[in-house]
Amino acid sequence: MSKKEKKETTTAPEAPQEAAVEEPEEESGGGAPNDEESGEVAELARALDECRQEARRNHDLYLRMAADLDNFRKRAQREREDLAKFANEKILREVLPVIDNLERAVEHARQEGGNSKGLVEGVEMTLSQFAKVLEKFGVAPLESVGKPFDPARHEAMGQLESAQHPANTVAQELQKGYVLHERLLRPALVMVTKVPAAGGEGEQSSE
């Protein structure tokens, strides 16, 4: 071999080695999730569902507590109003017998007649002032005569045979009843009608 051929042989480029090139591995995110990823997703979904359920329970609890608080406020407000309305109940009840006696005195004076006109007018003025004071504090008399007997407002003292009123009707009022802001302050003492006996003339006390 000549020197020229030997030189060409040593300087010729080597052929590419295909076996040395390696293919890149496929990325894990591009394919179907493996078992580990599926488990994490299921765990997150379960945790999210539990959070939603807890949030729903907390919301329901909040609504119930808000309703309870609102009811408590309303009940406390009613109790304060009732306390203000009925704070004077005891003293007003003590005043009523004084009014009863004044009314009886006026009625007796009218029946007796005589020269007591000025005294009667004075007592009537006093009764009128009492009535205004009672009205100011929410006290009102009960209208009982001719009304059906109501055990919640009337206290029966006896019965009267009467052809003028149906049975179980208030025919006579012995003592006036009063209410305080629509709540009974004192029941009326009344006589209640019953059906007259056969041949009776009616309006006879049968206590």
Side-chain angles (χ1 to χ4, degrees):
M1 182 179 295
S2 64
K3 292 180 179 180
K4 185 178 180 180
E5 291 175 346
K6 187 177 181 180
K7 185 177 181 179
E8 290 176 353
T9 302
T10 55
T11 59
E14 296 179 355
Q17 298 179 357
E18 295 179 357
V21 179
E22 296 181 355
E23 294 291 337
E25 295 182 356
E26 293 183 355
E27 297 180 358
S28 59
N34 53 34
D35 295 340
E36 183 178 356
E37 292 175 338
S38 298
E40 291 178 355
V41 172
E43 182 66 21
L44 290 175
R46 186 183 62 78
L48 179 61
D49 185 62
E50 290 179 352
C51 290
R52 286 174 175 170
Q53 292 180 6
E54 184 177 359
R56 193 178 300 113
R57 287 194 296 271
N58 290 334
H59 181 67
D60 293 341
L61 180 62
Y62 164 76
L63 293 179
R64 287 197 296 272
M65 294 181 66
D68 291 342
L69 180 60
D70 186 57
N71 291 334
F72 173 77
R73 287 175 177 171
K74 292 179 180 177
R75 185 168 59 253
Q77 179 66 22
R78 285 197 301 269
E79 290 176 354
R80 284 196 298 270
E81 292 176 354
D82 288 346
L83 182 62
K85 284 182 179 178
F86 302 107
N88 298 318
E89 182 176 359
K90 186 176 180 179
I91 189 172
L92 291 172
R93 189 180 288 114
E94 296 294 329
V95 168
L96 294 181
V98 179
I99 298 175
D100 294 337
N101 290 331
L102 291 175
E103 289 178 341
R104 292 190 187 101
V106 171
E107 184 178 356
H108 180 73
R110 286 175 178 169
Q111 292 175 353
E112 293 294 328
N115 300 322
S116 57
K117 183 178 178 180
L119 177 61
V120 172
E121 290 178 351
V123 176
E124 287 177 339
M125 290 177 62
T126 304
L127 285 172
S128 178
Q129 291 175 339
F130 264 121
K132 291 179 180 177
V133 171
L134 293 178
E135 182 180 2
K136 179 181 177 181
F137 285 96
V139 179
L142 287 174
E143 297 291 338
S144 301
V145 177
K147 304 289 184 181
F149 175 74
D150 183 359
R153 295 189 168 211
H154 303 141
E155 184 175 341
M157 304 303 293
Q159 287 185 307
L160 289 175
E161 292 184 355
S162 175
Q164 298 179 354
H165 301 287
N168 208 32
T169 300
V170 175
Q172 185 179 355
E173 185 180 68
L174 304 180
Q175 180 176 279
K176 191 177 295 183
Y178 290 89
V179 292
L180 175 60
H181 295 294
E182 301 300 326
R183 192 169 81 180
L184 185 66
L185 181 62
R186 188 182 74 176
L189 305 183
V190 298
M191 299 294 287
V192 186
T193 60
K194 67 176 182 179
V195 178
E201 296 180 354
E203 298 293 347
Q204 299 294 323
S205 175
S206 59
E207 177 63 23

